[in-house]
Amino acid sequence: MIQSVVPYRVEIDAPALKQLAKLDRQIRDRIRLAIRTLADNPRPPGCKLLIGRPGYRIKVGKDWRVIYTVNDGVALVLVIELGHRREIYR
């Protein structure tokens, strides 16, 4: 029997939306695509559980990071921060 998988709802926090709007169109499109894929798999291969703060991190390309939390109880992924790897962990 095949089990139906309910996709997670993905929301982007207001500060992360501001960060996204400031980015170059090409990288912004890549980050949006990466965020959309979290609906089907909120813990994709390569994601890391953060140490010292709640959430997970995925890489987008070599230099960009998306920080998010997962609430399995309500099937929600909340993007809380995104940016360049030099600045994201500060």
Side-chain angles (χ1 to χ4, degrees):
M1 181 161 115
I2 298 175
Q3 187 177 12
S4 168
V5 177
V6 177
Y8 281 64
R9 189 174 79 242
V10 177
E11 295 182 3
I12 304 175
D13 206 15
L17 272 176
K18 285 182 182 180
Q19 291 168 327
L20 189 62
K22 292 177 185 178
L23 297 176
D24 190 57
R25 181 178 161 226
Q26 184 178 10
I27 191 62
R28 185 173 54 232
D29 291 345
R30 290 178 66 194
I31 289 174
R32 282 185 179 150
L33 178 62
I35 290 171
R36 272 189 234 120
T37 63
L38 294 173
D40 294 324
N41 185 1
R43 296 175 187 89
C47 80
K48 297 271 185 171
L49 181 62
L50 296 175
I51 297 172
R53 71 190 228 193
Y56 293 86
R57 180 263 303 153
I58 58 170
K59 293 180 180 181
V60 179
K62 183 174 82 171
D63 294 328
W64 299 92
R65 305 293 186 263
V66 176
I67 308 293
Y68 63 98
T69 59
V70 179
N71 185 333
D72 294 310
V74 293
L76 173 68
V77 172
L78 178 62
V79 175
I80 54 177
E81 194 174 356
L82 54 92
H84 195 276
R85 64 186 177 99
R86 280 188 312 244
E87 301 154 359
I88 196 79
Y89 301 112
R90 293 181 187 183

